[in-house]
Amino acid sequence: MFSSIEEDDRRTVINNCYWPLFKLVEMGFPIAIEAPALTLEIIQAIDKNWIDKLKQFIRARKIEFIGSGYSQIIGPLVPAEVNDWNQSIGQDIYQEILGVEPQMALVNEMAYSSGMIEHYANHRYKSIIMEWNNPRKEHPDWKNV
């Protein structure tokens, strides 16, 4: 959503950070890209060509798109209905903009709780991902793999 980036700098971020991702794909690297639906709406308003290129690579199975709902919210801190709406609206917009329904979701703000699983499952996600370092820090008994 570019929350920490000034609106005037969004195009610069798209040009300098988002477009170069496609160079990796063109070099043969399979990659995954995650974005909230709101971010896709913003990018589409600024640079529709980037969205078109993303769709092309998704269709060619060169990029896996990872969803996260409409907005990056801290799920365990909001009512269940808000989590449900966030995922529902997100899936609708992913379909509208990209023509896909992501199968994998990023846990927003890395704020996991067992109550969040139903929201991902109810909106047809097959898996979730999140960072490893912070949970690992709290579990010294976990083995490094």
Coordinates of all heavy atoms in Angstrom, one line a residue, residues 28-96:
G28 N 15.1 -16.0 -16.4 CA 14.8 -17.4 -16.1 C 14.6 -17.7 -14.7 O 14.3 -18.9 -14.3
F29 N 14.6 -16.8 -13.8 CA 14.4 -17.0 -12.4 C 12.9 -17.1 -12.1 O 12.2 -16.1 -12.4 CB 15.0 -15.9 -11.5 CG 16.5 -15.9 -11.5 CD1 17.2 -15.1 -12.3 CD2 17.2 -16.8 -10.7 CE1 18.6 -15.1 -12.3 CE2 18.6 -16.8 -10.7 CZ 19.3 -15.9 -11.5
P30 N 12.4 -18.2 -11.5 CA 11.0 -18.2 -11.1 C 10.8 -17.3 -9.8 O 11.7 -17.5 -8.9 CB 10.7 -19.6 -10.9 CG 12.0 -20.2 -10.5 CD 13.1 -19.4 -11.3
I31 N 9.9 -16.5 -9.8 CA 9.7 -15.7 -8.6 C 8.2 -15.6 -8.2 O 7.4 -16.0 -8.9 CB 10.2 -14.2 -8.8 CG1 9.4 -13.4 -9.8 CG2 11.7 -14.2 -9.2 CD1 9.7 -11.9 -9.8
A32 N 8.0 -15.2 -7.0 CA 6.7 -15.0 -6.4 C 6.6 -13.5 -6.0 O 7.6 -12.9 -5.5 CB 6.4 -15.9 -5.2
I33 N 5.5 -12.9 -6.3 CA 5.2 -11.5 -5.9 C 4.0 -11.5 -5.0 O 2.9 -12.1 -5.4 CB 5.0 -10.6 -7.1 CG1 6.3 -10.5 -7.9 CG2 4.5 -9.2 -6.7 CD1 6.3 -9.7 -9.2
E34 N 4.0 -10.8 -3.9 CA 2.9 -10.6 -3.0 C 2.5 -9.2 -3.0 O 3.4 -8.3 -3.1 CB 3.3 -11.1 -1.6 CG 2.1 -10.8 -0.6 CD 2.1 -9.4 0.0 OE1 3.2 -8.7 0.1 OE2 1.0 -9.0 0.4
A35 N 1.2 -8.9 -3.0 CA 0.7 -7.6 -2.9 C -0.7 -7.6 -2.4 O -1.5 -8.4 -2.9 CB 0.8 -6.8 -4.3
P36 N -1.0 -6.7 -1.5 CA -2.5 -6.5 -1.2 C -3.2 -5.9 -2.4 O -2.6 -5.3 -3.2 CB -2.4 -5.4 0.0 CG -1.0 -5.4 0.4 CD -0.2 -5.8 -0.7
A37 N -4.5 -6.2 -2.5 CA -5.3 -5.7 -3.6 C -5.2 -4.2 -3.7 O -5.2 -3.7 -4.8 CB -6.7 -6.2 -3.5
L38 N -5.2 -3.5 -2.6 CA -5.1 -2.1 -2.6 C -3.9 -1.6 -3.3 O -3.9 -0.6 -4.1 CB -5.2 -1.5 -1.2 CG -5.0 0.0 -1.1 CD1 -6.1 0.8 -1.9 CD2 -5.1 0.4 0.4
T39 N -2.8 -2.3 -3.1 CA -1.5 -1.9 -3.8 C -1.6 -2.1 -5.3 O -1.2 -1.2 -6.0 CB -0.3 -2.8 -3.2 OG1 -0.2 -2.5 -1.8 CG2 1.0 -2.5 -4.0
L40 N -2.3 -3.2 -5.7 CA -2.5 -3.4 -7.1 C -3.4 -2.2 -7.7 O -3.1 -1.8 -8.8 CB -3.1 -4.7 -7.4 CG -2.3 -5.9 -7.1 CD1 -3.1 -7.2 -7.4 CD2 -1.0 -5.9 -7.9
E41 N -4.4 -1.8 -7.0 CA -5.2 -0.7 -7.4 C -4.4 0.6 -7.6 O -4.5 1.3 -8.6 CB -6.4 -0.4 -6.5 CG -7.4 -1.5 -6.5 CD -8.5 -1.2 -5.5 OE1 -8.3 -0.6 -4.4 OE2 -9.7 -1.6 -5.8
I42 N -3.5 0.8 -6.7 CA -2.7 2.0 -6.7 C -1.7 1.9 -7.9 O -1.6 2.9 -8.7 CB -1.9 2.2 -5.4 CG1 -2.9 2.6 -4.3 CG2 -0.8 3.3 -5.6 CD1 -2.3 2.5 -2.9
I43 N -1.1 0.7 -8.1 CA -0.1 0.6 -9.2 C -0.9 0.7 -10.5 O -0.4 1.3 -11.5 CB 0.6 -0.8 -9.1 CG1 1.5 -0.8 -7.9 CG2 1.4 -1.0 -10.4 CD1 2.2 -2.1 -7.6
Q44 N -2.0 0.1 -10.6 CA -2.8 0.2 -11.9 C -3.1 1.6 -12.2 O -3.1 2.0 -13.4 CB -4.1 -0.6 -11.7 CG -4.9 -0.7 -13.0 CD -6.1 -1.7 -12.9 OE1 -6.2 -2.4 -11.9 NE2 -6.8 -1.8 -13.9
A45 N -3.4 2.5 -11.2 CA -3.7 3.9 -11.5 C -2.5 4.6 -11.9 O -2.6 5.6 -12.7 CB -4.3 4.5 -10.2
I46 N -1.3 4.2 -11.5 CA -0.1 4.9 -11.8 C 0.6 4.4 -13.1 O 1.1 5.1 -13.9 CB 0.9 4.8 -10.6 CG1 0.3 5.5 -9.4 CG2 2.3 5.4 -11.0 CD1 1.1 5.3 -8.1
D47 N 0.6 3.0 -13.2 CA 1.4 2.4 -14.3 C 0.7 1.1 -14.7 O 1.1 0.0 -14.3 CB 2.8 2.1 -13.8 CG 3.7 1.6 -15.0 OD1 3.2 1.3 -16.0 OD2 4.9 1.6 -14.8
K48 N -0.3 1.2 -15.6 CA -1.1 0.0 -16.0 C -0.2 -1.0 -16.7 O -0.5 -2.2 -16.7 CB -2.3 0.5 -16.9 CG -3.2 -0.7 -17.2 CD -4.5 -0.3 -17.7 CE -5.4 -1.5 -18.1 NZ -4.9 -2.8 -18.3
N49 N 0.8 -0.5 -17.4 CA 1.7 -1.4 -18.1 C 2.4 -2.4 -17.2 O 2.6 -3.5 -17.6 CB 2.8 -0.6 -18.9 CG 2.2 0.2 -20.0 OD1 1.2 -0.2 -20.6 ND2 2.8 1.3 -20.4
W50 N 2.7 -2.0 -16.0 CA 3.3 -2.9 -15.0 C 2.3 -4.0 -14.7 O 2.7 -5.2 -14.6 CB 3.8 -2.2 -13.7 CG 4.6 -3.1 -12.8 CD1 5.9 -3.3 -12.9 CD2 4.1 -4.0 -11.8 NE1 6.3 -4.2 -12.0 CE2 5.2 -4.6 -11.3 CE3 2.8 -4.2 -11.3 CZ2 5.1 -5.6 -10.2 CZ3 2.7 -5.2 -10.2 CH2 3.9 -5.8 -9.7
I51 N 1.1 -3.7 -14.5 CA 0.0 -4.7 -14.2 C -0.1 -5.6 -15.4 O -0.2 -6.8 -15.2 CB -1.3 -4.0 -13.9 CG1 -1.3 -3.2 -12.6 CG2 -2.5 -5.0 -13.8 CD1 -1.1 -4.0 -11.3
D52 N -0.1 -5.1 -16.6 CA -0.3 -5.9 -17.8 C 0.9 -6.9 -17.9 O 0.7 -8.1 -18.2 CB -0.3 -5.0 -19.0 CG -1.6 -4.2 -19.1 OD1 -2.6 -4.6 -18.4 OD2 -1.7 -3.2 -19.9
K53 N 2.1 -6.5 -17.6 CA 3.3 -7.3 -17.6 C 3.2 -8.4 -16.6 O 3.5 -9.6 -16.8 CB 4.5 -6.5 -17.5 CG 5.8 -7.2 -17.8 CD 5.9 -7.5 -19.3 CE 7.3 -7.8 -19.6 NZ 7.5 -8.1 -21.0
L54 N 2.7 -8.0 -15.4 CA 2.5 -9.0 -14.3 C 1.6 -10.1 -14.7 O 1.8 -11.3 -14.5 CB 2.1 -8.3 -13.0 CG 1.7 -9.2 -11.8 CD1 3.0 -10.0 -11.4 CD2 1.2 -8.4 -10.7
K55 N 0.4 -9.6 -15.3 CA -0.6 -10.6 -15.7 C 0.0 -11.6 -16.8 O -0.2 -12.8 -16.8 CB -1.8 -9.9 -16.3 CG -2.6 -9.2 -15.3 CD -3.9 -8.5 -15.7 CE -4.3 -8.4 -17.1 NZ -5.4 -7.5 -17.3
Q56 N 0.8 -11.0 -17.7 CA 1.4 -11.8 -18.7 C 2.3 -12.9 -18.1 O 2.3 -14.1 -18.5 CB 2.3 -10.9 -19.6 CG 3.1 -11.7 -20.7 CD 4.0 -10.7 -21.4 OE1 3.8 -9.5 -21.4 NE2 5.0 -11.3 -22.0
F57 N 3.1 -12.5 -17.1 CA 4.0 -13.5 -16.5 C 3.3 -14.5 -15.6 O 3.7 -15.7 -15.5 CB 5.1 -12.8 -15.7 CG 6.2 -12.2 -16.5 CD1 6.7 -10.9 -16.2 CD2 6.8 -12.9 -17.5 CE1 7.7 -10.4 -17.0 CE2 7.9 -12.4 -18.2 CZ 8.3 -11.1 -18.0
I58 N 2.2 -14.1 -15.0 CA 1.4 -15.0 -14.2 C 0.8 -16.0 -15.1 O 0.8 -17.2 -14.8 CB 0.3 -14.3 -13.4 CG1 0.9 -13.4 -12.3 CG2 -0.7 -15.2 -12.8 CD1 0.0 -12.5 -11.6
R59 N 0.2 -15.6 -16.3 CA -0.4 -16.5 -17.2 C 0.6 -17.5 -17.8 O 0.3 -18.7 -18.0 CB -1.1 -15.8 -18.4 CG -2.5 -15.4 -18.1 CD -3.2 -14.8 -19.3 NE -3.4 -13.4 -19.0 CZ -2.9 -12.3 -19.7 NH1 -2.2 -12.5 -20.7 NH2 -3.2 -11.1 -19.3
A60 N 1.8 -17.1 -17.9 CA 2.9 -17.9 -18.5 C 3.5 -18.8 -17.4 O 4.5 -19.5 -17.6 CB 4.0 -17.1 -19.1
R61 N 3.0 -18.7 -16.1 CA 3.5 -19.4 -15.0 C 5.0 -19.1 -14.7 O 5.7 -20.0 -14.2 CB 3.3 -20.9 -15.2 CG 1.8 -21.2 -15.2 CD 1.6 -22.7 -15.4 NE 0.1 -23.0 -15.3 CZ -0.4 -23.8 -14.4 NH1 0.3 -24.4 -13.6 NH2 -1.7 -23.9 -14.4
K62 N 5.4 -17.9 -14.9 CA 6.7 -17.5 -14.6 C 6.8 -16.7 -13.3 O 7.8 -16.5 -12.7 CB 7.3 -16.6 -15.7 CG 7.5 -17.5 -17.0 CD 8.1 -16.7 -18.1 CE 8.4 -17.6 -19.3 NZ 9.1 -16.9 -20.4
I63 N 5.6 -16.2 -12.9 CA 5.5 -15.6 -11.6 C 4.3 -16.2 -10.8 O 3.2 -16.4 -11.4 CB 5.2 -14.1 -11.7 CG1 6.5 -13.3 -12.2 CG2 4.7 -13.5 -10.4 CD1 6.3 -11.8 -12.4
E64 N 4.5 -16.6 -9.6 CA 3.4 -17.0 -8.7 C 3.0 -15.8 -8.0 O 3.8 -15.1 -7.3 CB 3.8 -18.1 -7.8 CG 2.7 -18.5 -6.9 CD 3.0 -19.7 -6.0 OE1 4.2 -20.2 -6.0 OE2 2.2 -20.1 -5.2
F65 N 1.7 -15.5 -8.0 CA 1.1 -14.3 -7.3 C 0.6 -14.8 -5.9 O -0.1 -15.8 -5.8 CB 0.0 -13.6 -8.0 CG -0.4 -12.4 -7.3 CD1 0.4 -11.3 -7.3 CD2 -1.6 -12.4 -6.5 CE1 0.0 -10.1 -6.6 CE2 -1.9 -11.3 -5.8 CZ -1.2 -10.1 -5.9
I66 N 1.1 -14.1 -4.9 CA 0.7 -14.4 -3.5 C -0.2 -13.3 -3.0 O 0.1 -12.1 -3.1 CB 1.9 -14.6 -2.6 CG1 2.8 -15.7 -3.1 CG2 1.5 -14.8 -1.1 CD1 4.1 -15.8 -2.4
G67 N -1.4 -13.7 -2.5 CA -2.3 -12.7 -2.0 C -2.1 -12.4 -0.5 O -1.4 -13.0 0.2
S68 N -2.9 -11.4 -0.1 CA -2.9 -11.0 1.4 C -4.1 -10.3 1.8 O -4.2 -9.7 2.8 CB -1.6 -10.2 1.7 OG -1.5 -9.1 0.9
G69 N -5.1 -10.3 0.9 CA -6.3 -9.6 1.2 C -6.3 -8.2 0.5 O -5.5 -7.8 -0.3
Y70 N -7.3 -7.4 0.9 CA -7.4 -6.0 0.4 C -6.3 -5.1 0.9 O -5.7 -4.4 0.2 CB -8.8 -5.4 0.6 CG -8.9 -4.1 0.0 CD1 -8.9 -3.9 -1.4 CD2 -8.9 -2.9 0.7 CE1 -9.0 -2.7 -2.0 CE2 -9.0 -1.7 0.1 CZ -9.0 -1.6 -1.2 OH -9.1 -0.3 -1.8
S71 N -6.1 -5.2 2.2 CA -5.1 -4.3 2.9 C -4.3 -5.1 3.9 O -4.7 -6.1 4.4 CB -5.9 -3.2 3.6 OG -5.0 -2.3 4.1
Q72 N -3.1 -4.6 4.2 CA -2.3 -5.2 5.2 C -2.8 -4.8 6.6 O -2.5 -3.7 7.1 CB -0.8 -4.7 5.1 CG -0.1 -5.3 3.9 CD 0.5 -6.6 4.2 OE1 0.5 -7.1 5.3 NE2 0.9 -7.3 3.1
I73 N -3.7 -5.6 7.2 CA -4.2 -5.3 8.5 C -3.7 -6.3 9.5 O -3.2 -7.4 9.1 CB -5.8 -5.4 8.5 CG1 -6.3 -6.8 8.1 CG2 -6.4 -4.4 7.6 CD1 -7.8 -7.0 8.3
I74 N -3.7 -5.9 10.7 CA -3.2 -6.8 11.8 C -4.4 -7.7 12.2 O -5.2 -7.3 13.1 CB -2.6 -6.0 12.9 CG1 -1.4 -5.2 12.4 CG2 -2.1 -7.0 14.0 CD1 -0.8 -4.2 13.4
G75 N -4.6 -8.8 11.6 CA -5.7 -9.6 11.7 C -6.2 -10.0 13.1 O -7.4 -9.8 13.5
P76 N -5.3 -10.4 14.0 CA -5.7 -10.8 15.3 C -6.2 -9.6 16.2 O -6.8 -9.8 17.2 CB -4.4 -11.3 16.0 CG -3.6 -11.8 14.8 CD -3.9 -10.8 13.7
L77 N -6.0 -8.4 15.7 CA -6.5 -7.2 16.5 C -7.8 -6.6 16.0 O -8.3 -5.7 16.6 CB -5.4 -6.1 16.4 CG -4.1 -6.4 17.0 CD1 -3.2 -5.2 17.0 CD2 -4.2 -6.9 18.5
V78 N -8.4 -7.2 14.9 CA -9.6 -6.7 14.4 C -10.7 -7.7 14.5 O -10.4 -8.9 14.6 CB -9.5 -6.1 12.9 CG1 -8.5 -5.0 12.9 CG2 -9.1 -7.3 12.0
P79 N -12.0 -7.3 14.5 CA -13.1 -8.3 14.5 C -13.0 -9.3 13.3 O -12.5 -9.0 12.3 CB -14.3 -7.5 14.4 CG -13.9 -6.1 14.9 CD -12.5 -6.0 14.4
A80 N -13.5 -10.5 13.6 CA -13.5 -11.5 12.6 C -14.2 -11.1 11.3 O -13.7 -11.4 10.2 CB -14.3 -12.8 13.1
E81 N -15.2 -10.3 11.4 CA -15.9 -9.8 10.2 C -15.0 -8.9 9.3 O -15.1 -9.0 8.1 CB -17.2 -8.9 10.5 CG -18.3 -9.7 11.2 CD -18.0 -9.9 12.7 OE1 -17.1 -9.3 13.3 OE2 -18.7 -10.8 13.3
V82 N -14.1 -8.2 9.9 CA -13.2 -7.3 9.2 C -12.2 -8.2 8.4 O -11.9 -8.0 7.3 CB -12.4 -6.3 10.1 CG1 -11.4 -5.6 9.4 CG2 -13.4 -5.4 10.7
N83 N -11.7 -9.3 9.1 CA -10.8 -10.2 8.4 C -11.5 -10.9 7.3 O -10.9 -11.0 6.2 CB -10.3 -11.3 9.4 CG -9.2 -10.8 10.3 OD1 -8.2 -10.3 9.8 ND2 -9.4 -10.8 11.6
D84 N -12.7 -11.3 7.4 CA -13.5 -11.9 6.4 C -13.6 -10.9 5.2 O -13.4 -11.3 4.0 CB -14.8 -12.4 6.9 CG -15.6 -13.2 5.8 OD1 -15.1 -14.2 5.4 OD2 -16.6 -12.7 5.4
W85 N -14.0 -9.7 5.5 CA -14.2 -8.7 4.4 C -12.9 -8.5 3.7 O -12.8 -8.4 2.5 CB -14.7 -7.4 4.9 CG -16.1 -7.5 5.5 CD1 -17.2 -8.3 5.1 CD2 -16.7 -6.6 6.5 NE1 -18.3 -8.0 5.9 CE2 -18.0 -7.0 6.7 CE3 -16.1 -5.6 7.3 CZ2 -18.8 -6.4 7.7 CZ3 -16.9 -5.0 8.2 CH2 -18.3 -5.4 8.4
N86 N -11.8 -8.3 4.5 CA -10.5 -8.1 3.9 C -10.1 -9.1 2.9 O -9.7 -8.8 1.8 CB -9.5 -8.0 5.0 CG -8.1 -7.5 4.5 OD1 -8.1 -6.4 3.8 ND2 -7.1 -8.1 4.8
Q87 N -10.3 -10.4 3.2 CA -10.0 -11.5 2.3 C -10.9 -11.6 1.1 O -10.5 -11.8 0.0 CB -9.9 -12.8 3.1 CG -8.8 -12.9 4.1 CD -7.4 -12.5 3.5 OE1 -7.1 -12.9 2.4 NE2 -6.6 -11.8 4.3
S88 N -12.2 -11.4 1.4 CA -13.2 -11.4 0.3 C -13.0 -10.3 -0.7 O -13.0 -10.6 -1.9 CB -14.6 -11.3 0.9 OG -15.6 -11.4 -0.1
I89 N -12.9 -9.1 -0.3 CA -12.7 -8.0 -1.2 C -11.3 -8.2 -1.9 O -11.3 -8.0 -3.1 CB -12.7 -6.7 -0.4 CG1 -14.1 -6.4 0.1 CG2 -12.2 -5.5 -1.3 CD1 -14.2 -5.3 1.2
G90 N -10.3 -8.6 -1.2 CA -9.0 -8.9 -1.9 C -9.1 -9.9 -3.0 O -8.7 -9.6 -4.1
Q91 N -9.8 -11.0 -2.7 CA -9.9 -12.0 -3.8 C -10.7 -11.5 -5.0 O -10.4 -11.8 -6.1 CB -10.6 -13.3 -3.2 CG -9.7 -14.1 -2.3 CD -8.6 -14.9 -3.1 OE1 -8.1 -14.5 -4.1 NE2 -8.2 -16.0 -2.5
D92 N -11.8 -10.7 -4.7 CA -12.5 -10.1 -5.8 C -11.7 -9.2 -6.7 O -11.7 -9.3 -7.9 CB -13.7 -9.3 -5.3 CG -14.8 -10.2 -4.7 OD1 -14.8 -11.4 -4.9 OD2 -15.7 -9.6 -4.0
I93 N -10.8 -8.4 -6.0 CA -10.0 -7.5 -6.8 C -8.9 -8.2 -7.5 O -8.5 -7.8 -8.6 CB -9.5 -6.3 -5.9 CG1 -10.8 -5.5 -5.5 CG2 -8.5 -5.5 -6.6 CD1 -10.5 -4.4 -4.5
Y94 N -8.3 -9.2 -6.9 CA -7.3 -10.0 -7.6 C -7.8 -10.6 -8.9 O -7.2 -10.5 -9.9 CB -6.7 -11.2 -6.7 CG -6.0 -10.7 -5.5 CD1 -6.1 -11.4 -4.3 CD2 -5.1 -9.6 -5.5 CE1 -5.4 -11.0 -3.2 CE2 -4.4 -9.2 -4.4 CZ -4.5 -9.9 -3.2 OH -3.8 -9.6 -2.1
Q95 N -9.1 -11.1 -8.8 CA -9.7 -11.6 -10.0 C -10.0 -10.6 -11.0 O -9.7 -10.7 -12.2 CB -11.0 -12.3 -9.6 CG -11.7 -13.1 -10.6 CD -10.8 -14.3 -11.1 OE1 -10.5 -14.3 -12.3 NE2 -10.5 -15.2 -10.3
E96 N -10.4 -9.4 -10.5 CA -10.8 -8.3 -11.4 C -9.5 -7.7 -12.1 O -9.5 -7.5 -13.3 CB -11.4 -7.2 -10.6 CG -11.8 -5.9 -11.4 CD -12.3 -4.9 -10.5 OE1 -13.1 -5.2 -9.6 OE2 -11.9 -3.7 -10.7

